[in-house]
Amino acid sequence: MAAATAAGAAAAAAAISLFAYYLLLRKSGSKLPWTLTTRANGRRTRRKGLMQAIGNTPLIRINSLSDATGCEILGKAEFLNPGGSVKDRVAVKIIEEALESGVLVCGGVVTEGSAGSTAISLATVAPAYGCRCHVVIPDDAAVEKSQIIEALGATVERVRPVSITHKDHFVNIARRRALEANVASTQSETNKMQTNGSAHVTVEMLHPKQTNGSEYANTEVPHNGKLCPDSGSKGGFFADQFENLANYRAHYEWTGPEIWEQTKGTLHAFVAAAGTGGTIAGVSRYLKEKNRNVGCFLMDPPGSGLFNKVTRGVMYTKEEAEGKRLKNPFDTVTEGIGINRVTANFMMAELDGAYRGTDREAVEMSRFLLRKDGLFVGSSSAMNCVGAVRVARDLGPGHTIVTILCDSGMRHLSKFFNDEYLANHGLKPNAIGLEFLDQ
């Protein structure tokens, strides 16, 4: 009887402890570790291991900007994801959907063309799914990004920056690398079947979903040693972050709901820059479905055509009009944002307007946040914060504005946080407060 009583007391204590833990997590806004995630098709799945640590990032008050504007300016601290950026969510969603559909198999190689963050996230996540990673990166991106990717075990291919219309643009090369991996895989299978005495073999070069209709997605792939065939080749998959709507879905199903829950639906505006367009599209569409009155705005860096697309309906920049198309095809010290084409992901965005920022504003904002808030953020995060202040000033005091702190400054040391590099471009920071926003 005593033993039964003791056992009952222990069970009761355990139940109380578990319930207390549940309340603590609910109060802090954290997800329970066994929480199921919902996919677009309604199926629910458990994420295990590394993937459990991705998402549910804190929404922090940026004190300096909030106090200066009279608004609550909140930053979604995506730099706290395991791979160090918002792109961890995209990497997980792209790989999960590819594995589920069968266009990627365990042991296959994921290829991507990326200026850095998505590449790092794919290199971080791919091994957890039993896959390899091959990244093509423009050689003007901060060198520490390729160093991180290589340290993560991925293959890195640095190429010169050219227009997306060029066959050797880093995205188009990445697409070809997936084709090469598929050729290697089919050759390997053919050799195995011939060895086993099979007289005939049918070869399917590439799953049609991987081509995305691109003129560069053909089967004439000269082997150049970049992806060498081997006996263990399992084929390739081109992640295609710009056009793959898994990017948009990651933020519609994941980031947007987190922001809504963390603000308890009280936010008035959301603002962010766009590269692939997945973040701003997924978050804006989700927030608009919850409340049509939430203002959603684009923040665009120098040379990008998205500001004009949102405000005038056309992709047009002064640089193009003057015949001065610069690198790829715009010139800015910010990385990962700005583009001169409308991607499939960006087309999903629901926006109320757009703002423009300058390189100087991004540089000065990054130093201001570091001095005042201890926030060490990258170039796109800094530009997003410039946008948040612009929105706050237009709306007036008393409003709540959310933006994305995409990544930290740790992967921007050689350029954006290099005083010599900035001085050579006439961008050495010298502001004391936020006066740089008034110029």
Side-chain angles (χ1 to χ4, degrees), residues 32-241:
L32 296 172
W34 53 85
T35 297
L36 296 174
T37 58
T38 304
R39 293 186 178 178
N41 59 11
R43 295 176 61 185
R44 295 166 71 82
T45 182
R46 292 181 187 273
R47 289 196 174 105
K48 301 177 181 178
L50 175 73
M51 282 66 76
Q52 285 180 294
I54 296 173
N56 199 33
T57 54
L59 188 65
I60 62 175
R61 183 180 192 266
I62 305 177
N63 292 330
S64 63
L65 303 184
S66 299
D67 295 343
T69 60
C71 289
E72 288 295 292
I73 295 183
L74 310 176
K76 188 84 165 114
E78 291 296 291
F79 58 84
L80 294 178
N81 280 310
S85 82
V86 66
K87 296 297 186 178
D88 280 14
R89 300 174 186 264
V90 177
V92 165
K93 190 65 173 171
I94 286 177
I95 292 178
E96 282 185 350
E97 289 193 6
L99 288 168
E100 188 175 66
S101 67
V103 296
L104 173 66
V105 299
C106 185
V109 58
V110 180
T111 74
E112 183 59 296
S114 168
S117 288
T118 302
I120 292 172
S121 292
L122 285 170
T124 300
V125 170
Y129 289 99
C131 299
R132 294 177 292 149
C133 187
H134 181 106
V135 173
V136 185
I137 188 170
D139 62 13
D140 62 342
V143 67
E144 55 268 31
K145 292 185 179 181
S146 60
Q147 291 172 335
I148 293 170
I149 298 166
E150 288 177 331
L152 289 168
T155 300
V156 177
E157 185 178 351
R158 292 175 69 91
V159 300
R160 66 186 180 91
V162 293
S163 168
I164 186 65
T165 59
H166 195 288
K167 67 182 181 66
D168 289 331
H169 183 275
F170 62 93
V171 171
N172 296 325
I173 292 176
R175 182 182 286 109
R176 291 205 298 274
R177 297 297 176 250
L179 283 163
E180 291 170 0
N182 278 282
V183 170
S185 178
T186 54
Q187 287 176 345
S188 176
E189 289 301 314
T190 300
N191 292 338
K192 286 180 181 179
M193 294 185 73
Q194 289 175 343
T195 300
N196 293 331
S198 299
H200 303 284
V201 61
T202 300
V203 177
E204 184 176 336
M205 292 299 293
L206 183 67
H207 193 290
K209 287 185 180 180
Q210 293 183 33
T211 65
N212 295 316
S214 168
E215 61 182 300
Y216 300 117
N218 58 66
T219 56
E220 299 176 6
V221 187
H223 179 66
N224 59 6
K226 293 297 182 183
L227 285 172
C228 300
D230 59 69
S231 59
S233 177
K234 300 293 185 181
F237 166 71
F238 175 46
D240 199 11
Q241 60 167 327

Side-chain angles (χ1 to χ4, degrees), residues 230-400:
D230 59 69
S231 59
S233 177
K234 300 293 185 181
F237 166 71
F238 175 46
D240 199 11
Q241 60 167 327
F242 288 89
E243 308 301 331
N244 188 338
L245 289 180
N247 183 345
Y248 150 79
R249 286 189 287 271
H251 299 292
Y252 176 81
E253 299 172 13
W254 202 353
T255 318
E258 284 183 18
I259 290 173
W260 182 259
E261 291 170 9
Q262 288 172 320
T263 60
K264 294 181 173 57
T266 61
L267 76 164
H268 299 94
F270 172 77
V271 59
T276 64
T279 304
I280 197 168
V283 173
S284 66
R285 185 169 284 263
Y286 181 84
L287 293 178
K288 285 291 189 181
E289 287 183 5
K290 299 299 289 186
N291 182 356
R292 298 300 304 177
N293 293 322
V294 175
C296 295
F297 302 94
L298 169 76
M299 184 62 188
D300 217 25
S304 174
L306 294 181
F307 171 85
N308 289 301
K309 181 63 178 177
V310 173
T311 59
R312 303 176 189 174
V314 295
M315 297 289 284
Y316 170 89
T317 66
K318 183 172 64 175
E319 290 82 3
E320 288 179 317
E322 294 174 350
K324 296 181 179 178
R325 289 184 64 148
L326 302 176
K327 66 159 194 177
N328 197 32
F330 48 88
D331 201 359
T332 174
V333 298
T334 61
E335 294 186 358
I337 54 174
I339 195 171
N340 269 333
R341 71 182 191 277
V342 178
T343 67
N345 283 287
F346 188 79
M347 287 176 66
M348 302 299 292
E350 293 193 24
L351 301 175
D352 296 288
Y355 295 85
R356 265 185 174 152
T358 67
D359 280 348
R360 175 161 294 282
E361 288 172 335
V363 170
E364 294 285 10
M365 178 60 78
S366 68
R367 274 51 173 193
F368 179 84
L369 294 173
L370 187 56
R371 289 195 309 270
K372 300 294 185 178
D373 300 273
L375 285 172
F376 184 42
V377 297
S379 56
S380 55
S381 303
M383 188 67 81
N384 284 347
C385 288
V386 171
V389 173
R390 295 263 171 81
V391 173
R393 288 179 172 181
D394 282 352
L395 294 182
H399 293 88
T400 299

